[in-house]
Amino acid sequence: MLQIITGKFYNSEDRYHNNCKGILYSNASFRGIYDIGHVKIEAAESLGNVDPYIVMYDNQLQKSHSGFELVKVGDEEILRQLKNILSFALDAVFDEDKSTVERICRKKESGRGKYPVPSEFINGTLDISKNVSDDEMKSCGVFLEQLLALNREDYINILNCIVAYNASVRLLSEDISLAYSMLVYCLESLAQSYDSYIPIWDDYKEDKKNALEKVFKTLDEDAVEKIKEILIKDEHLKLSKRFQEFVVGHIGDKFFYYNEKRKTIGKEEFLVALANAYNIRSKYAHMLKPLMKHLRMSEFSKNADVFEFQHNVYFTYSGLLRVVREVIYDFTFSLQKTGFEAFDWRGAIPGCVELEAAPCYWIWKMDSSKGEGAKARVEGFVETFVHYQNKIPKMDDLIRMYLSHLGEMKEENRLAAFTLCCLYVRKVGNVEDETKTQFNAVFEKNKSLLEKCSIYGLIIYVMGAHIDLNVAWKLEECEKVVKAYCKKRYKNSRLKLPKEIESMIYLEVANSFEGEEEKENRQKWRLRAYDNSNNSKEIQELISDCMEKDSTFDISMIWQVINKRFEK
């Protein structure tokens, strides 16, 4: 939202302008008024150790002239983004809540508590009344302007990293292992989004590589190369090396300079510490394995980048924080600024979400003659019949078009379109005579589509669309079809039916297992239908009664439950 109100995505000067103010509190201390990008920030009168600041900005929105106008929205999101950017850029803590700043920046009271507070891990960042110079404020403004001028995707990616960076600092008092891992996540997210590193054989783990090299001596050269290609495609190896290469690429020489107040990491040990940080994150993510005890001790962190133990090198929390800060800064300024950018900014406004329209509002719309939308319309029609039965739209034009072009469609589209025609003509009461006549003329030529068991045929059957087929599907085929449907139904491009219809299909499969020797299979499918009907106590009671009596289930009882929804 902070980037949106710059006007970067607007193609017209016809806008609503709203001069807005907000308050942020901080441990950072400065006086006067500063222009930071398109935001003004002014120090207010302080009554304690935490200083209040008035934030002023123009929450401008482009007019749409659509009859429904958003005049002003998103102030909370603007402040959320701004507080995170200011916290990062000024190396301090900003928040809308004064007590939050006080809690994060608190000092440990003498003799109270055995656990360190966040300020004991980091030097300077969490100091109360931390003085901020004019140069630092100007640098903050330059960073904000650079960030806001990036393209939308880059801005969001970097902002997310900054938010995670600040969240890590806030988590220090709760879980340092999680706080440490979040810093690695920041680096990982940038590395995966912007780097295309291709691993080589030399990247493979040294101990495994040496063992394999001995085996390779017994194989011919071509076979060895093919095996190496397979091994270096290992995703973990690729991610680990890409992570390291990306981070190193955004660390400048000054990072390693001597600092009399701090033990800085050396160039030659940097990669070792980086690899260890990546492995620590992996162990925490997959096993919740905490940091080694030494890294959880504030004494080793505050004034040192690394902790050395048994010839190995590990980033302290403050050392890793310094790495992440350097990488985000360098990466942000390495990207090109952009001018106007075509972007659906209204869709990015807080509170605006994309929702799927109820199918009764679109299933009637004309499809292509190839029937490419037939599958979606079958799904939509069935959903409408189950949940919006009193709102089934007129679809005669669409149905007649399908009937006229069935012969031109691919097999799956043809089956879906024919299924929709059968359902509409047989289940809807106000079908036009012209549509019925055309359907009756076309039906005989296409009913062979339903001779082989398919999920569409099962839909027609449980929906009670009475058509003359005289076909007996084999139980094994039906079971196979239902299992295949269940496996694929959660994919966006596949068919997904209402749970009531699914349960009816399960119960019809259960009914087909006859005899005492098939009782286990009957009960298995009934139990599946019972579990699938967890949002209808009435249907579950019907199925439970059937399971107890081991009787044939009449799916018309489920239709009675459905039809009650539409009784006046």
Side-chain angles (χ1 to χ4, degrees), residues 104-325:
I104 296 169
C105 299
R106 72 187 185 280
K107 299 296 182 182
K108 188 174 181 180
E109 295 182 21
S110 179
R112 294 189 63 181
K114 61 181 179 179
Y115 295 109
V117 295
S119 60
E120 293 183 85
F121 285 94
I122 313 168
N123 196 6
T125 304
L126 304 180
D127 289 352
I128 292 293
S129 298
K130 174 186 175 179
N131 288 321
V132 177
S133 67
D134 284 346
D135 287 342
E136 287 172 320
M137 291 300 295
K138 289 176 183 177
S139 295
C140 174
V142 171
F143 177 79
L144 179 62
E145 288 179 357
Q146 171 71 18
L147 183 59
L148 293 172
L150 300 179
N151 70 52
R152 182 64 177 179
E153 183 179 0
D154 291 336
Y155 172 77
I156 292 298
N157 287 341
I158 295 172
L159 177 64
N160 288 339
C161 286
I162 289 174
V163 171
Y165 174 97
N166 292 322
S168 171
V169 173
R170 295 178 180 221
L171 277 169
L172 264 177
S173 60
E174 301 296 330
D175 186 345
I176 186 173
S177 297
L178 177 56
Y180 192 99
S181 296
M182 284 191 73
L183 293 179
V184 182
Y185 295 149
C186 291
L187 299 174
E188 274 189 295
S189 66
L190 292 178
Q192 291 185 34
S193 301
Y194 296 94
D195 191 82
S196 56
Y197 178 77
I198 300 174
I200 58 176
W201 178 243
D202 286 343
D203 296 333
Y204 212 70
K205 290 184 178 180
E206 196 68 28
D207 55 343
K208 292 183 179 180
K209 184 173 69 173
N210 292 336
L212 287 167
E213 290 288 4
K214 294 177 182 178
V215 178
F216 289 160
K217 291 177 181 179
T218 65
L219 304 175
D220 66 81
E221 194 172 322
D222 289 341
V224 169
E225 289 304 315
K226 288 180 181 177
I227 292 172
K228 286 181 177 180
E229 286 179 14
I230 294 170
L231 291 173
I232 63 175
K233 286 180 181 178
D234 176 68
E235 190 63 22
H236 180 76
L237 174 68
K238 185 177 180 180
L239 290 174
S240 176
K241 290 302 295 184
R242 179 168 59 190
F243 169 79
Q244 293 177 40
E245 291 289 322
F246 177 84
V247 173
V248 169
H250 290 284
I251 296 291
D253 288 339
K254 289 184 179 180
F255 188 84
F256 305 102
Y257 284 2
Y258 170 77
N259 185 335
E260 63 179 11
K261 296 181 180 180
R262 184 177 188 83
K263 178 185 177 182
T264 55
I265 190 170
K267 283 186 179 181
E268 293 188 0
E269 57 193 2
F270 187 82
L271 274 177
V272 177
L274 203 56
N276 284 333
Y278 186 87
N279 290 331
I280 287 170
R281 191 281 305 159
S282 296
K283 290 176 182 177
Y284 183 82
H286 300 299
M287 298 181 288
L288 287 179
K289 186 174 181 179
L291 289 174
M292 58 192 291
K293 288 183 180 179
H294 310 78
L295 298 182
R296 285 180 269 158
M297 297 174 66
S298 59
E299 293 87 348
F300 293 121
S301 174
K302 192 163 189 175
N303 297 306
D305 284 347
V306 291
F307 170 75
E308 298 179 43
F309 186 69
Q310 295 180 344
H311 291 192
N312 216 335
V313 185
Y314 303 90
F315 279 118
T316 62
Y317 179 82
S318 68
L320 186 57
L321 191 73
R322 202 165 76 90
V323 172
V324 176
R325 185 177 184 79

Side-chain angles (χ1 to χ4, degrees), residues 360-510:
C360 55
Y361 295 111
W362 57 265
I363 54 173
W364 55 269
K365 292 184 178 181
M366 191 56 64
D367 189 13
S368 70
S369 60
K370 295 179 180 180
E372 293 166 333
K375 181 173 26 178
R377 283 166 174 78
V378 169
E379 180 180 310
F381 180 86
V382 175
E383 183 183 339
T384 301
F385 204 88
V386 172
H387 296 296
Y388 313 97
Q389 201 174 104
N390 55 353
K391 295 182 179 180
I392 296 175
K394 287 285 290 180
M395 299 172 63
D396 291 77
D397 290 343
L398 173 70
I399 298 302
R400 288 197 293 268
M401 186 279 290
Y402 277 157
L403 291 169
S404 299
H405 294 89
L406 286 173
E408 304 166 19
M409 299 178 187
K410 293 180 180 179
E411 185 175 352
E412 186 179 3
N413 294 347
R414 185 183 175 198
L415 179 56
F418 185 61
T419 298
L420 183 60
C421 294
C422 292
L423 293 174
Y424 183 76
V425 173
R426 296 300 191 212
K427 295 298 294 180
V428 177
N430 60 343
V431 179
E432 296 174 8
D433 290 339
E434 183 183 352
T435 306
K436 293 179 182 178
T437 301
Q438 188 175 355
F439 173 77
N440 292 332
V442 172
F443 177 77
E444 287 298 324
K445 297 178 183 178
N446 291 277
K447 68 178 184 179
S448 60
L449 289 169
L450 300 174
E451 289 178 355
K452 182 181 178 182
C453 183
S454 68
I455 193 64
Y456 294 103
L458 293 171
I459 292 170
I460 289 174
Y461 181 75
V462 299
M463 289 280 290
H466 302 292
I467 54 176
D468 182 21
L469 275 181
N470 295 320
V471 173
W473 297 314
K474 291 182 179 179
L475 176 56
E476 296 80 10
E477 292 177 0
C478 293
E479 232 186 339
K480 186 178 179 181
V481 165
V482 176
K483 287 178 179 178
Y485 159 79
C486 290
K487 187 176 181 180
K488 298 176 181 177
R489 61 185 156 175
Y490 297 110
K491 295 181 179 179
N492 188 45
S493 61
R494 310 304 295 186
L495 192 72
K496 188 172 187 300
L497 301 169
K499 283 192 171 186
E500 294 90 340
I501 300 298
E502 291 177 343
S503 294
M504 288 187 217
I505 292 174
Y506 298 165
L507 291 164
E508 286 296 354
V509 172

